Amino acid sequence: MHEMGIVLHIAKTLNETAEEEKITKIGSVTLQVGEVSGIITDLFVDCWNYFKVRNEILKDSELKLETLPAVTFCGDCEKTYPTVKYGRECPYCGSYETWLLTGNECIIKEIEAETL
Amino acid sequence: MKVIELKKSVTDSNDRDAALLRRELDEKGMLLINLMSAAGSGKTTFLSRTITDLKDLRIAVIEADIESVVDAERIAKLGARSIQAHTDGMCHMDAGMTREAVESIGTDETDVLFLENIGNLICPAEYDTGAQRNVMILSVPEGDDKPLKYPLMFENSNVLIITKTDTMSYFDFDMDKCIERVRRLNPFIEIFPVSAKTGEGMDEWEKWLIREVQETKNRRKR
Ligand SMILES: Nc1nc2c(ncn2[C@@H]2O[C@H](COP(=O)(O)OP(=O)(O)O)[C@@H](O)[C@H]2O)c(=O)[nH]1
Ligand SMILES: [Mg+2]
Ligand SMILES: [Zn+2]
């Protein structure tokens, strides 16, 4: 499953960070999720909650999600527009030769942590 | 509590695992190719044809796609070694799972190892497996607008195989337009139109493969 896979990858990165920074406990994790990243937020939160209680450092952490807007570029008229509102068709010239610029990312922005 | 800024991609730890695996494969002089496509595009058929055509090349296959049992048997029948990877119900192979599969099939006696990744154009594009080369397959029935819908896969591939060209007359597939769209995303990608059914176009791909195998071996010697 896509969401559980992402949770496992985030946890791996956080556990490695914890080792490097001598972190004993993580209080919160802030993730930036692109509007069209394909991540189903509810499912993702469920996976996170299922996983975190089984992980010593993440046990009591709070998950904070921030949304990053999706922007599409039109190859014909070279304008950009919001992806979610207009989809594949350029609202300026009607072209379908359009490309996603941003919006499918998933970034671990920051954590709050207690260190040794 | 203190705030630690990370700004790390979710795949950060996987990227490091992948880089390490790639370095080890380079040192061994074995080429690992990550083969990706949508479900049913023709990965196993394409691999079968390649194995049959290149008898002198020692080819092995890791099967990770949904039908991995059947696919592994199809490959084994041709005399190539194959194993099934443990994908744990995931939608992509990551570097850790790939390493496990590579270690269990072994790198001796193999010139090129193919990883038949899970059939899906989104997730496999995001996770580096550690392979030295990414090859993706697009089949004619899927349409020439796939590059517009799944740009990341085209950006991250070294080679694009456009397969099932024997069906061109049944579909409204504009080859030039497709290639132009792909090149706009990735100017360096090598593109080989083939039919794994009739064998048309396979020789160009096979020349590329033989050259890559040789270059991988040369890299080790240096
Ligand atoms: N006409 C035609 N059919 C093909 C070709 N390659 C594969 N197929 C068919 O496409 C279907 C899926 O192929 P398969 O190799 O199992 O796809 P995979 O799921 O990506 O491994 C099968 O029915 C194949 O016979 C081709 O070059 N031409
Ligand atoms: Mg297959
Ligand atoms: Zn436009």
Side-chain angles (χ1 to χ4, degrees):
Chain A
M1 193 215 310
H2 191 65
E3 279 68 21
M4 196 63 198
I6 296 169
V7 167
L8 293 176
H9 282 283
I10 293 173
K12 187 152 183 273
T13 300
L14 291 180
N15 280 302
E16 285 169 9
T17 308
E19 219 162 278
E20 286 160 21
E21 309 261 345
K22 304 207 183 329
I23 290 169
T24 51
K25 195 184 184 69
I26 293 181
S28 75
V29 180
T30 307
L31 287 186
Q32 294 178 311
V33 181
E35 269 182 316
V36 296
S37 65
I39 295 172
I40 303 165
T41 318
D42 290 353
L43 195 54
F44 182 80
V45 172
D46 286 347
C47 290
W48 178 263
N49 290 333
Y50 171 86
F51 181 83
K52 76 169 188 186
V53 295
R54 289 163 178 77
N55 190 284
E56 198 47 44
I57 285 170
L58 291 172
K59 221 166 41 199
D60 301 313
S61 64
E62 183 198 345
L63 182 64
K64 298 178 185 170
L65 294 175
E66 293 178 3
T67 306
L68 295 177
V71 178
T72 295
F73 173 77
C74 172
D76 281 333
C77 73
E78 306 197 336
K79 291 193 173 88
T80 58
Y81 64 87
T83 312
V84 174
K85 185 156 179 210
Y86 298 105
R88 292 260 318 281
E89 186 180 350
C90 173
Y92 299 105
C93 73
S95 168
Y96 279 90
E97 296 288 323
T98 56
W99 321 83
L100 188 67
L101 284 182
T102 59
N104 64 0
E105 50 278 272
C106 179
I107 299 161
I108 311 172
K109 184 184 169 196
E110 60 188 29
I111 56 175
E112 284 177 283
E114 270 170 22
T115 51
L116 278 182
Chain B
M1 292 262 176
K2 68 172 181 186
V3 174
I4 302 175
E5 214 177 80
L6 286 177
K7 293 234 171 71
K8 276 185 181 170
S9 142
V10 164
T11 52
D12 187 74
S13 110
N14 184 63
D15 291 346
R16 271 179 286 144
D17 291 350
L20 185 65
L21 177 59
R22 193 157 30 245
R23 198 158 62 231
E24 289 173 20
L25 292 167
D26 274 338
E27 280 163 10
K28 291 194 172 93
M30 192 195 71
L31 179 61
L32 174 64
I33 293 183
N34 176 22
L35 186 63
M36 299 174 284
S37 82
S41 292
K43 295 184 293 301
T44 311
T45 311
F46 173 74
L47 279 178
S48 302
R49 186 94 200 189
T50 304
I51 292 166
T52 313
D53 289 349
L54 300 177
K55 288 262 184 288
D56 294 337
L57 212 57
R58 296 172 305 175
I59 300 176
V61 181
I62 298 168
E63 286 297 345
D65 206 1
I66 317 296
E67 298 176 328
S68 63
V69 184
V70 185
D71 286 351
E73 279 169 13
R74 280 165 73 187
I75 298 296
K77 270 205 192 111
L78 303 170
R81 290 190 309 134
S82 67
I83 59 155
Q84 276 174 267
H86 299 288
T87 54
D88 305 326
M90 293 286 187
C91 46
H92 62 272
M93 286 290 283
D94 65 21
M97 298 190 285
T98 305
R99 170 183 290 278
E100 217 175 272
V102 169
E103 283 172 1
S104 78
I105 197 163
T107 50
D108 301 338
E109 321 274 310
T110 305
D111 299 314
V112 53
L113 177 58
F114 284 95
L115 165 63
E116 180 173 340
N117 210 319
I118 301 168
N120 144 9
L121 283 181
I122 304 172
C123 312
E126 292 169 6
Y127 290 91
D128 190 343
T129 58
Q132 292 109 319
R133 291 287 178 265
N134 288 324
V135 174
M136 73 164 291
I137 297 186
L138 170 67
S139 67
V140 165
E142 292 169 70
D144 53 32
D145 61 349
K146 271 269 160 99
L148 302 174
K149 293 180 185 160
Y150 305 100
L152 191 63
M153 178 67 83
F154 292 85
E155 284 167 21
N156 290 350
S157 295
N158 307 101
V159 172
L160 167 66
I161 305 291
I162 302 177
T163 190
K164 306 193 190 179
T165 52
D166 57 287
T167 68
M168 284 279 279
S169 54
Y170 305 105
F171 295 94
D172 173 23
F173 187 97
D174 187 332
M175 184 62 82
D176 293 339
K177 192 152 206 172
C178 183
I179 291 177
E180 184 201 313
R181 285 169 173 159
V182 173
R183 288 234 183 276
R184 232 196 284 184
L185 289 171
N186 181 347
F188 305 108
I189 196 166
E190 303 254 10
I191 303 175
F192 301 112
V194 309
S195 164
K197 192 176 173 189
T198 67
E200 199 189 344
M202 289 296 289
D203 50 342
E204 288 301 315
W205 144 256
E206 285 158 2
K207 265 185 233 158
W208 178 89
L209 179 62
I210 290 168
R211 200 173 60 236
E212 287 293 320
V213 166
Q214 204 48 55
E215 277 175 15
T216 309
K217 287 192 200 300
N218 293 345
R219 265 204 299 277
R220 177 187 48 176
K221 280 175 201 144
R222 259 185 262 131

